């Protein structure tokens, strides 16, 4: 039985017990055209970094047109053939107490992908959270029962596992999610529903970038890619791939309120986290102690601001570095260490590269007044 996670809006994509129902496809034929009813997919949902040394260097892209399929569309079968061998199935077993002294065994399943030849596997934290036993199986049938949890980061829903570095271990190539454009083709690969026979492949387009969603435990996931490629229970931790066969995201959630709306953690936001998990087993962050949002033209007009871009401070934690530096709610951060801040994502990505004790210089607007403030970051708690 797959563990159920109660969430307010968005739930992790592998934890819902799923019973597949067969729906009849109805075709209505008219003169020269056909209308086909689409089977709805049921599911559930649930932080710029330099390339990490332990991550494989991207291989040169194929020649133009090499991966083109019918009517100029990418050949999904070629993409799948390249990436699918590195996509692993992750099965877990955990024990919970039911009643007073009644232990209950719970089984779960998810996905991951090998991103380093030393045997490192990337996945979602919620896939392996609370698991006592973890088993990793490759599409070629090789299975690993002695799996090490290298590190977890619940804040970004990322985790790294380690399996034995055996010969011919397939490794997924890493792409550049910053090069994606809304409307680009993407392919999601993962062990949907925990079905036998290896990973499932689905295709769609990139619907949006820079999305944020809140999980039921209150954690807000940032810098997400939105796609309509089908993501189902069991897909969590699997790769979202570009037409060149490179991983550009890590599938993590779907929104049951929408039709085919899924989310993946951008690989450019994830790779520094994955590398730090390998090096330290955890992520050490320097924080200011603020909550921010992207400034919109509407909000700028309402506040009488001279600019329409930046990260606006929503609230400040009392006694935090930001509080001590003199920042206030409604201040707009326009630059950090000389770098332009156009959106909340620009600020969060930069802060993710800094550590406790680092000092950053901010250019902020308070109404029409421009100010320069210095903040010393503290370790997140």
């Amino acid at each position: 039985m797959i563990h159920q996670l109660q969430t307010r809006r968005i739930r992790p994509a592998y934890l819902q017990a799923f019973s597949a129902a067969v729906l009849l496809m109805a075709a209505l034929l008219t003169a020269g055209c056909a209308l086909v009813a689409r089977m709805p997919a049921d599911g559930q949902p649930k932080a710029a970094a330099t390339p990490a040394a332990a991550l494989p260097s991207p291989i040169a892209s194929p020649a133009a047109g090499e991966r083109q399929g019918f009517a100029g569309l990418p050949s999904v079968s070629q993409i799948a053939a390249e990436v699918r061998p590195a996509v692993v199935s992750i099965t877990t077993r955990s024990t919970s107490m039911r009643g007073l002294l009644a232990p209950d065994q719970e089984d779960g399943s998810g996905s991951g992908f090998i991103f380093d030849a030393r045997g490192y596997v990337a996945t979602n934290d919620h896939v392996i959270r609370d698991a006592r036993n973890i088993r990793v199986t490759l599409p070629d049938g090789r299975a690993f029962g002695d799996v090490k949890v290298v590190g977890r980061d619940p804040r970004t829903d990322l985790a790294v596992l380690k399996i034995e570095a055996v010969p011919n271990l397939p490794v997924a190539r890493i792409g550049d999610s910053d090069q994606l454009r809304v409307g680009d083709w993407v392919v999601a690969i993962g062990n949907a529903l925990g079905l036998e026979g290896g990973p499932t492949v689905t295709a769609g387009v990139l619907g949006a970038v820079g999305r944020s969603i809140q999980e039921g435990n209150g954690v807000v996931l940032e810098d997400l890619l939105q796609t309509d490629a089908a993501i189902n229970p069991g897909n969590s931790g699997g790769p979202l791939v570009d037409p060149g066969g490179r991983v550009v995201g890590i599938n993590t959630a779907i929104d049951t309120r929408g039709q085919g709306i899924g989310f993946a953690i951008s690989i450019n936001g994830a790779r520094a986290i994955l590398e730090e998990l390998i090096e330290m087993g955890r992520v050490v962050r320097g924080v200011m102690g603020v909550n921010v949002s992207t400034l919109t033209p509407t909000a700028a007009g309402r506040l009488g601001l001279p600019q329409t871009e930046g990260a606006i401070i929503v609230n400040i934690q009392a006694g935090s570095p930001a509080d001590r530096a003199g920042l206030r709610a409604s201040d707009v951060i326009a630059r950090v260490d000389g770098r332009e801040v156009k959106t909340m994502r620009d600020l969060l990505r930069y802060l993710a590269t800094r550590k406790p004790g680092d000092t950053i210089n901010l250019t902020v607007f308070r109404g029409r007044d421009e100010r320069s403030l210095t903040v010393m970051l503290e370790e997140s708690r």
Side-chain angles (χ1 to χ4, degrees), residues 14 42 47 99 103 106 125 146-147 156 177 183 190 197 202 212 233 254 299 320 330 342 348-349 360:
Y14 93 108
D42 188 23
E106 295 182 342
D125 174 65
D146 186 18
V147 178
T156 56
S177 54
T202 58
S212 299
I254 61 175
S320 67
S330 296
K342 292 185 176 182
L348 295 178
R349 275 194 175 185
I360 60 172

Side-chain angles (χ1 to χ4, degrees), residues 64-341:
E66 181 178 331
R67 294 183 180 279
Q68 296 302 304
F70 179 73
L73 299 180
S75 173
V76 177
S77 62
Q78 292 182 16
I79 298 172
E82 179 176 343
V83 184
R84 199 169 177 267
V87 180
V88 304
S89 169
I90 300 174
T91 55
T92 63
R93 171 160 291 184
S94 59
T95 302
S96 61
M97 298 304 294
R98 182 178 54 191
L100 295 177
L101 296 173
D104 188 19
Q105 297 290 336
E106 295 182 342
D107 295 332
S109 64
S111 303
F113 60 93
I114 302 169
F115 67 96
D116 189 290
R118 294 173 292 178
Y120 291 110
V121 176
T123 187
N124 286 144
D125 174 65
H126 73 255
V127 169
I128 54 94
R129 187 182 302 153
D130 300 325
R132 292 183 177 274
N133 300 100
I134 302 174
R135 184 177 181 84
V136 169
T137 305
L138 275 61
D140 62 13
R142 286 181 288 180
F144 301 84
D146 186 18
V147 178
K148 176 184 178 181
V149 178
V150 176
R152 301 171 47 236
D153 186 41
R155 182 168 170 176
T156 56
D157 197 23
L158 291 170
V160 174
L161 306 178
K162 179 73 162 59
I163 61 174
E164 182 183 357
V166 297
N168 303 316
L169 197 63
V171 178
R173 294 187 294 132
I174 303 300
D176 184 354
S177 54
D178 285 344
Q179 297 302 312
L180 292 172
R181 300 175 301 173
V182 172
D184 280 350
W185 286 99
V186 287
V187 174
I189 307 179
N191 297 279
L193 313 183
L195 297 173
E196 296 182 359
T200 293
V201 178
T202 58
V205 298
L206 185 69
V209 298
R211 293 298 201 203
S212 299
I213 60 174
Q214 182 172 348
E215 297 180 277
N217 57 7
V219 172
V220 177
L221 299 180
E222 309 282 359
D223 199 16
L224 301 179
L225 307 175
Q226 178 184 315
T227 180
D228 65 351
I231 298 176
N232 293 286
N235 273 105
S236 285
L240 188 71
V241 186
D242 68 12
R246 298 168 292 249
V247 178
V248 292
I250 301 175
N251 302 319
T252 189
I254 61 175
D255 192 336
T256 55
R257 299 169 301 164
Q259 293 293 322
I261 297 180
F263 301 93
I265 303 166
S266 68
I267 199 63
N268 285 15
R271 59 194 307 165
I273 302 296
L274 298 176
E275 180 58 25
E276 190 163 356
L277 289 176
I278 291 175
E279 292 179 356
M280 302 183 63
R282 67 188 185 99
V283 178
V284 179
R285 293 181 173 86
V287 297
M288 292 197 301
V290 299
N291 290 325
V292 297
S293 181
T294 296
L295 180 67
T296 64
T298 300
R302 185 175 65 251
L303 296 171
L305 300 175
Q307 82 289 345
T308 58
E309 295 179 329
I312 185 168
I313 297 177
V314 178
N315 58 61
I316 297 177
Q317 298 173 13
S320 67
D323 189 19
R324 295 194 297 270
L327 285 164
R328 298 179 184 175
S330 296
D331 283 352
V332 176
I333 300 173
R335 286 183 294 278
V336 54
D337 286 341
R339 294 168 171 80
E340 191 173 19
V341 175

